[in-house]
């Protein structure tokens, strides 16, 4: 029995080694990202299980899709990931089409040819999303004169975006999956509240109390 068990372990080890040696760099990168996604979201956010079979793309938009003025402004930084997002104003919560650009050192919120906000990963205070199936993510920034306040984004590929962001920023431990509501900084020492609820159809709106409600 001991010999049989030993041979079984050796065989299994050889099969694993053969599988690992046969992995392409792309496939290995996918698996490494999915491990992080699992650590952050498994058992915490709706839609996680359905996302397992969906491979992450290297980027949703190519560098050539960015406006030349933006490329000029962030020259010298290695662009890693670009995706369209909806950004919600911190005060009136108006929805605006933007791009989220992740480089090796910073996250940029871009409006066509303008950089609306830059968040250096070294200053990033946290990343929050809800336990429901919405695509809202809040990037928490420090209270200083360089920042207007926390960034409220809606992403179509929420698991992909948060995974890319926390890997590049090396801030996996700062990702929070919240239930019910969360607080975000508006700026000038003020805070706002975002409420998450369940309804017949997805929507994001400012309710009568002035809170941002995500259904």
């Amino acid at each position: 029995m001991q010999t049989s068990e030993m041979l079984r372990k050796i065989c299994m080890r050889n099969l694993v080694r053969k599988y690992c040696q046969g992995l392409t760099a792309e496939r290995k990168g996918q698996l490494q990202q999915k491990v992080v996604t699992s650590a952050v979201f498994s058992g915490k956010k709706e839609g996680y299980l359905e996302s397992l079979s969906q491979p992450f793309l290297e980027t949703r938009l190519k560098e050539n899709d960015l406006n030349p003025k933006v490329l000029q402004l962030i020259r010298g930084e290695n662009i890693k990931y670009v995706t369209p997002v909806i950004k919600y104003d911190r005060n009136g919560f108006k929805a605006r089409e933007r791009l989220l650009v992740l480089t090796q050192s910073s996250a940029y919120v871009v409006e066509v040819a303008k950089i609306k906000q830059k968040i250096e990963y070294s200053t990033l205070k946290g990343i929050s999303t809800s336990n429901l199936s919405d695509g809202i993510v809040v990037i928490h920034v420090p209270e200083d004169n360089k920042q207007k306040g926390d960034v409220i984004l809606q992403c179509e590929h929420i698991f992909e975006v948060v995974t890319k962001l926390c890997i590049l920023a090396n801030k996996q431990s700062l990702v929070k999956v919240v239930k019910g509501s969360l607080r975000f900084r508006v700026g000038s020492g003020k805070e706002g509240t975002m409420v998450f609820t369940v309804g017949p159809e997805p929507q994001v709106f400012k309710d009568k109390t002035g809170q941002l409600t995500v259904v």
Side-chain angles (χ1 to χ4, degrees):
M1 288 294 292
Q2 289 182 344
T3 302
S4 176
E5 181 65 17
M6 187 179 298
L7 289 173
R8 189 189 68 80
K9 289 181 178 180
I10 292 173
C11 180
M12 181 61 69
R13 191 180 301 120
N14 287 336
L15 288 173
V16 171
R17 184 183 295 112
K18 185 176 180 180
Y19 173 78
C20 292
Q21 290 175 341
L23 288 175
T24 62
E26 181 180 2
R27 178 59 178 162
K28 185 177 180 181
Q30 282 284 327
L31 291 174
Q32 290 173 333
Q33 290 179 70
K34 289 291 186 176
V35 168
V36 174
T37 310
S38 174
V40 172
F41 292 111
S42 180
K44 299 177 184 177
K45 186 171 178 64
E46 290 182 12
Y48 167 73
L49 291 177
E50 290 78 2
S51 76
L52 291 176
S53 61
Q54 302 170 8
F56 291 158
L57 297 189
E58 183 176 348
T59 184
R60 293 288 164 174
L61 292 174
K62 296 182 179 180
E63 189 171 321
N64 293 337
D65 295 320
L66 293 173
N67 188 286
K69 290 184 179 179
V70 172
L71 291 175
Q72 181 68 16
L73 290 169
I74 60 177
R75 66 187 184 278
E77 293 189 45
N78 189 3
I79 295 175
K80 294 294 187 178
Y81 181 78
V82 184
T83 187
V85 295
I86 299 295
K87 176 186 175 294
Y88 291 93
D89 291 345
R90 285 166 285 267
N91 290 306
F93 301 128
K94 184 175 181 179
R96 303 181 186 277
E97 293 185 1
R98 297 286 187 263
L99 295 178
L100 178 64
V101 180
L102 304 181
T103 71
Q104 191 65 45
S105 60
S106 303
Y108 292 86
V109 178
V110 173
E111 175 192 5
V112 188
K114 297 180 181 179
I115 291 176
K116 302 298 290 185
Q117 193 163 355
K118 174 184 178 180
I119 305 111
E120 295 180 359
Y121 298 145
S122 59
T123 67
L124 196 152
K125 293 182 65 178
I127 304 166
S128 297
T129 185
S130 84
N131 66 316
L132 302 179
S133 59
D134 58 86
I136 294 290
V137 58
V138 178
I139 302 174
H140 301 281
V141 298
E143 297 185 34
D144 58 39
N145 295 330
K146 295 181 180 180
Q147 298 294 348
K148 305 172 184 177
D150 294 340
V151 184
I152 306 170
L153 303 176
Q154 185 173 17
C155 316
E156 182 178 354
H157 308 281
I158 184 70
F159 297 103
E160 178 179 282
V161 171
V162 173
T163 299
K164 300 274 190 184
L165 177 58
C166 70
I167 288 176
L168 286 169
N170 194 25
K171 296 288 180 72
Q172 179 182 331
S173 62
L174 294 184
V175 180
K176 292 183 179 179
V177 181
V178 304
K179 295 181 180 180
S181 66
L182 68 82
R183 302 284 289 176
F184 58 89
R185 194 173 67 83
V186 177
S188 302
K190 298 180 181 178
E191 285 192 333
T193 302
M194 186 182 308
V195 177
F196 299 95
T197 185
V198 176
E201 59 182 30
Q203 55 181 320
V204 181
F205 62 93
K206 182 179 181 180
D207 67 16
K208 296 179 180 178
T209 65
Q211 298 179 137
L212 182 64
T213 299
V214 182
V215 182

